[in-house]
């Protein structure tokens, strides 16, 4: 009999920095996410994460860093909400789920909880996600969900091979997510 797995979201803490820094400096993260975090310098990345944790506690920061934790002990995802615009109630969302959890039921649970946090707890009305044209896996998921990009910036990025790639910008509305989940 398998045990029930519970996923909880919580704010990034100092104790999480080594694991998150390892995630954010690996090739898998770089290939699946567009980020403002320094990719090649682990020490600079750790300092940036520590700064964002400290600033986020002192003032209403423009960034919130979250961790998805399974059964209160296993880190399963990193969630960055950036560029908060409280007047228009929107932000930019990036979720990193490591490869070992990505194609499991945990991935769906993590994404569902992230959207619940964004749209119910924070009461945002829209989140944006950025997807590289080279990330065909993510683009296929959006296509399967019948979502079209709000904008495509042609030849905006450089791929791993140095060739230009498009940047797809998806906008996800609160009403659409809550309608699908039945809330």
């Amino acid at each position: 009999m398998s045990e029930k797995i519970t996923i909880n979201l919580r704010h990034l803490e100092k104790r999480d920095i080594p694991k998150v820094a390892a995630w954010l400096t690996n090739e898998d993260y770089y290939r699946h996410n567009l980020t403002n975090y320094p990719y090649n310098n682990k020490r600079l990345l750790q300092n940036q994460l520590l700064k964002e944790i400290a600033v986020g506690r002192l003032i209403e920061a423009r960034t919130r860093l979250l961790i998805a934790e399974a059964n209160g002990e296993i880190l399963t995802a990193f969630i960055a909400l950036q560029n908060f615009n409280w007047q228009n109630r929107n932000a930019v969302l990036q979720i990193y789920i490591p490869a070992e959890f990505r194609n499991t039921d945990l991935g769906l649970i993590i994404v569902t909880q992230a959207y619940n946090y964004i749209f119910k707890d924070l009461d945002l009305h829209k989140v944006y996600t950025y997807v590289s044209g080279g990330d065909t896996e993510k683009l296929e998921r959006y296509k399967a969900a019948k979502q079209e990009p709000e904008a495509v910036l042609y030849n905006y990025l450089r791929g791993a091979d140095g060739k230009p790639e498009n940047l797809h910008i998806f906008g996800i509305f609160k009403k659409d997510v809550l309608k699908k989940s039945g809330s």
Side-chain angles (χ1 to χ4, degrees):
M1 180 180 222
S2 65
E3 68 179 66
K4 181 171 171 57
I5 297 175
T6 58
I7 302 288
N8 296 316
L9 295 184
R10 62 174 174 77
H11 290 276
L12 182 72
E13 297 174 358
K14 188 176 177 180
R15 66 186 164 118
D16 305 320
I17 298 286
K19 180 72 168 186
V20 171
W23 284 346
L24 300 185
T25 55
N26 72 39
E27 188 65 33
D28 182 59
Y29 178 82
Y30 187 67
R31 204 172 40 249
H32 288 92
N33 289 279
L34 304 169
T35 181
N36 294 331
Y37 295 110
Y39 168 66
N40 289 327
N41 189 328
K42 193 178 259 188
R43 184 177 198 77
L44 187 60
L45 172 64
Q46 290 175 332
N47 288 339
Q48 178 69 26
L49 292 171
L50 285 169
K51 181 178 98 177
E52 288 187 26
I53 290 171
V55 169
R57 290 186 179 148
L58 298 175
I59 58 174
E60 189 58 48
R62 291 183 45 87
T63 301
R64 288 209 184 165
L65 305 177
L66 304 170
I67 288 291
E69 193 174 52
N71 294 341
E73 61 188 41
I74 302 167
L75 302 184
T76 56
F78 172 72
I79 301 160
L81 285 164
Q82 301 170 317
N83 302 328
F84 277 97
N85 180 332
W86 291 107
Q87 183 177 0
N88 293 320
R89 316 255 349 130
N90 62 44
V92 174
L93 169 68
Q94 290 289 323
I95 299 176
Y96 176 69
I97 302 172
E100 63 264 25
F101 305 117
R102 192 174 299 136
N103 296 322
T104 66
D105 291 340
L106 289 180
L108 181 61
I109 294 168
I110 292 165
V111 170
T112 301
Q113 288 200 349
Y115 282 132
N116 281 337
Y117 174 75
I118 291 164
F119 293 129
K120 290 182 179 177
D121 296 349
L122 296 179
D123 194 30
L124 296 182
H125 298 297
K126 186 177 189 180
V127 291
Y128 294 97
T129 58
Y130 303 141
V131 180
S132 165
D135 194 346
T136 55
E137 183 182 323
K138 265 190 190 174
L139 289 174
E140 286 298 319
R141 275 190 254 139
Y142 279 103
K143 189 176 181 180
K146 296 183 178 12
Q147 286 192 321
E148 294 294 323
E150 284 192 14
V152 178
L153 303 177
Y154 294 98
N155 300 326
Y156 187 78
L157 303 170
R158 294 271 172 235
D161 57 2
K163 293 182 180 174
E165 290 182 356
N166 300 336
L167 175 66
H168 300 260
I169 302 172
F170 291 89
I172 301 164
F173 286 95
K174 177 180 185 173
K175 64 182 177 63
D176 296 332
V177 170
L178 296 181
K179 179 174 49 174
K180 286 180 185 175
S181 69
S183 298

